Amino acid sequence: MILASNSARRQEILKDIGFNFKVLPADIDESSDREDLIEKIKDIAYKKAYHVAKFNRNEYVLAADTIVEINGEVLGKPKDENEAKIFLKKLSGNWHRVITAYSFINIERNILINEYEISEVKFYDLCEEQIEWYIKSKEPLDKAGAYGIQDKGRIFVEKINGDFFSIMGFPIAKFIKNLKELDIDIEKISKI
């Protein structure tokens, strides 16, 4: 299998379950002209997977994309520390949605899974000192919404509704269910 992503979190989730894969990030423009937010995220995940799959037609290729959305505003990866601070202040004390879409493609076998998972996260009220401490760690700078639930950012999370691993970057349980629907049993995942 090829993982069309550099995400350390996705790699960790897949390795922990037993997948063998090589990493071949899709170097594409991660934008979409779709109007609907979920369709937009699914489209980006598909474009990443297809970009790698068209050069590896016999391989299974997996790609994903994660965004954080609050009150209709998408919070991607912050461009700098100042934007990270703005994002964290918006999330402070509020519920937000984390949407992760993924595409799994094998062109030769005519396989396409294009799915998504939505989870909700509620943050505690954050004080300025907590935000500054977190920004100094540099963790928020490469994460959608400027936080990682699996890292230091976990201390901000009051509640979640949904899939923890989807919030982390990949809904592994749903993906395994998709594979089972294709008659790929969990014992076979190291071979795909």
Side-chain angles (χ1 to χ4, degrees), residues 42 45-46 49 61-64 101-105 112-115:
K42 285 173 62 179
Y46 171 78
V61 179
L62 176 65
Y102 58 96
S103 283
F104 183 70
I105 298 175
L112 171 62
I113 298 169
N114 198 23
E115 278 287 348

Side-chain angles (χ1 to χ4, degrees), residues 153-172:
R154 74 184 77 179
I155 68 168
F156 303 149
V157 177
E158 182 177 352
K159 295 178 188 171
I160 69 167
N161 291 330
D163 182 337
F164 173 85
F165 292 101
S166 182
I167 298 165
M168 191 172 157
F170 190 68
I172 188 68

